[in-house]
Amino acid sequence: MYARRRYRYFVMMGTCLTLFVLAWGVVRLWSVPVAVGMCLVAMVIPPLAAVVANRRGPDDRWWDDPSGDPKSDEWWDELDGKKRPGRQP
């Protein structure tokens, strides 16, 4: 899952860079408003790429998931003030 997210991130950032370079290197010679529009589109891509790169996948472990170590999970539950069902205090 991580490799797929990283690939999508680099594709999006490459598209952003390509749009920006083409806008001011080539397109501005024919139409400045189109070049500005391309830059506006390129401006929106980096935040979206960051969201895509940091999105949690279905197989990713999240910070509050049990680790599998009962002692560690019990310790964290105590710190968080949680009681797990089926456990005696």
Side-chain angles (χ1 to χ4, degrees):
M1 295 304 272
Y2 175 72
R4 185 178 303 149
R5 286 193 318 246
R6 187 176 56 191
Y7 174 76
R8 287 180 184 164
Y9 174 80
F10 283 118
V11 166
M12 291 177 80
M13 291 305 289
T15 302
C16 173
L17 188 60
T18 302
L19 280 172
F20 186 75
V21 169
L22 283 177
W24 295 113
V26 178
V27 176
R28 74 170 170 91
L29 300 173
W30 288 282
S31 175
V32 172
V34 172
V36 170
M38 288 173 67
C39 283
L40 290 175
V41 171
M43 179 182 71
V44 174
I45 293 174
L48 295 176
V51 169
V52 166
N54 291 310
R55 189 174 58 107
R56 178 183 175 206
D59 296 335
D60 293 341
R61 201 173 161 271
W62 195 237
W63 66 275
D64 59 351
D65 285 345
S67 66
D69 178 20
K71 188 172 185 177
S72 175
D73 291 340
E74 185 177 323
W75 183 76
W76 281 108
D77 288 344
E78 181 181 337
L79 284 178
D80 291 339
K82 295 179 187 175
K83 295 290 184 196
R84 291 194 172 246
R87 291 201 177 168
Q88 297 297 326

